Amino acid sequence: MKLYNYFRSSASYRVRIALALKGLPYEYEAVHIAKGDHKRPPFSEMSTDMLVPLLELDDGTRLSQSMAIIEYLDEVQPQPRLLPADALGRARVRGLAETVACEIHPLNNLRVLKYLVRELKLDDEAKNTWYRHWVREGLEAFERQLARLPASAYCYGDTPTLADCCLVPQIFNGQRFNCDFSGLERTMRAFESCMKLEAFQATQPSRCPDAEA
Ligand SMILES: N[C@@H](CCC(=O)N[C@@H](CS)C(=O)NCC(=O)O)C(=O)O
């Protein structure tokens, strides 16, 4: 398999974590989205949405959207499971994962931040205030969900799930923008548990082949 991705892309990092947890080998294909390489051939010709990540399977089939990719991987390589065996557990994990992937991330990705600056003429400080506001609000909702679940090392239960695959990259991203994580006790405990695992450590942005200082 080939993973077209970018070291700082949190949606890409989600998939890198899932591949690492499952021990699936892949080729790392860097797409420099900050330089616009995702909008130019060859990537623009292979990707329908011109977004990373894009996973190319061994037979050439290409999959987009990190959540769909991770669910696909979980179905074809079920161990270790990233979604619980029971329907209620899956709903809980998806609820947490989507809080990050659908509520926080779409407001803060590269094209939205660029639009705020280039088209709406916000300065850097205003852009960063926007970013921090939506991350904080989303993570507070995430924390409230965790607070209603039984105590656990990770977001849900004693092994990492899709929720952790989404949470950890979001925290990394938030750290770059100096977000306030105070009081998010369960959330940060889950983050810290994940960061004790090699699958999360080895795939973090600074350890990617295309990492920049
Ligand atoms: N919902 C998509 C989001 C993909 C996405 O927005 N990727 C970002 C990087 S994290 C990207 O390619 N951005 C390019 C741009 O915004 O122009 C997923 O989960 O894969």
Side-chain angles (χ1 to χ4, degrees), residues 8-12 14 33 38-39 49-53 64-67 101 105 109-112 114:
R8 266 193 191 133
S9 149
S10 51
S12 300
R14 291 174 200 156
I33 62 171
H38 56 311
K39 299 208 169 130
D49 53 12
M50 290 189 252
L51 298 172
V52 290
S64 62
Q65 290 291 337
S66 62
M67 309 295 273
H105 181 263
N109 63 39
L110 182 66
R111 60 197 178 282
V112 169
K114 274 188 172 167

Side-chain angles (χ1 to χ4, degrees), residues 63-77:
L63 301 178
S64 62
Q65 290 291 337
S66 62
M67 309 295 273
I69 294 171
I70 295 173
E71 292 224 20
Y72 168 82
L73 293 172
D74 210 37
E75 287 176 27
V76 297
Q77 174 81 42

Side-chain angles (χ1 to χ4, degrees), residues 100 104 108 131-140 142-143 146 166-192:
V100 174
I104 302 177
N108 289 326
Y131 181 98
R132 291 186 201 112
H133 171 80
W134 294 115
V135 169
R136 179 74 203 184
E137 192 165 291
L139 288 181
E140 283 176 0
F142 194 92
E143 178 74 15
L146 290 184
C166 291
L167 172 65
V168 166
Q170 186 58 63
I171 298 295
F172 267 80
N173 214 262
Q175 285 170 339
R176 279 183 59 222
F177 285 82
N178 296 319
C179 287
D180 173 19
F181 301 126
S182 61
L184 303 172
E185 280 173 28
R186 291 273 308 253
T187 303
M188 296 314 286
R189 199 185 316 148
F191 172 74
E192 279 151 27

Side-chain angles (χ1 to χ4, degrees), residues 180-210:
D180 173 19
F181 301 126
S182 61
L184 303 172
E185 280 173 28
R186 291 273 308 253
T187 303
M188 296 314 286
R189 199 185 316 148
F191 172 74
E192 279 151 27
S193 299
C194 289
M195 292 317 294
K196 290 186 184 133
L197 302 179
E198 185 58 14
F200 288 80
Q201 280 288 340
T203 53
Q204 64 181 286
S206 62
R207 290 179 59 182
C208 288
D210 56 336

Side-chain angles (χ1 to χ4, degrees), residues 145-176:
Q145 287 176 66
L146 290 184
R148 294 188 181 192
L149 295 172
S152 59
Y154 301 98
C155 288
Y156 187 87
D158 296 326
T159 55
T161 62
L162 176 65
D164 301 283
C165 295
C166 291
L167 172 65
V168 166
Q170 186 58 63
I171 298 295
F172 267 80
N173 214 262
Q175 285 170 339
R176 279 183 59 222

